[in-house]
Amino acid sequence: MPYEIIIPDKIQRVINKKCDEHLKKRLFTKLLKLENVPQSYAKPLRFPLAGIWEIYFEKRWRVLFEIDESNKSIIIVGFKHKDEMT
């Protein structure tokens, strides 16, 4: 059973602000790869962000998400440019 990808309104507004339509389409195509086996495409983060996973997009963006195994869902919790990460 595939995972459901959930993008909260707050994150969707950030994506809309930072990306044009072409880039958004490529981002959503990349996110669809996570539906079946998200752990194979992503990297788990360490303490203090344990429990959050990340994927790189276009070599300059990071998409941060949590995996909820009980509900089979992926919740996007962050979308940041690599220069914004500290």
Side-chain angles (χ1 to χ4, degrees):
M1 183 173 139
Y3 289 79
E4 177 187 9
I5 298 174
I6 300 169
I7 303 175
D9 291 337
K10 180 179 177 180
I11 303 300
Q12 185 63 52
R13 285 193 298 271
V14 171
I15 292 170
N16 290 340
K17 181 179 173 185
K18 295 182 178 185
C19 299
D20 61 8
E21 290 301 317
H22 177 69
L23 200 58
K24 281 194 283 190
K25 186 180 276 189
R26 292 179 60 170
L27 172 64
F28 295 136
T29 301
K30 177 95 173 184
L31 291 178
L32 287 177
K33 288 183 176 183
L34 297 174
E35 282 186 328
N36 294 322
V37 186
Q39 294 88 346
S40 66
Y41 290 103
K43 176 180 116 178
L45 298 179
R46 297 182 190 169
F47 180 80
L49 298 174
I52 296 178
W53 295 70
E54 76 173 349
I55 58 170
Y56 287 99
F57 171 66
E58 297 287 315
K59 296 183 181 178
R60 58 187 166 168
W61 299 99
R62 287 186 179 183
V63 180
L64 305 172
F65 62 93
E66 295 176 338
I67 301 172
D68 183 359
E69 291 290 344
S70 62
N71 293 325
K72 288 293 215 184
S73 62
I74 297 170
I75 301 114
I76 308 297
V77 296
F79 179 78
K80 298 205 177 257
H81 192 272
K82 67 177 185 163
D83 295 339
E84 294 176 298
M85 298 298 284
T86 57

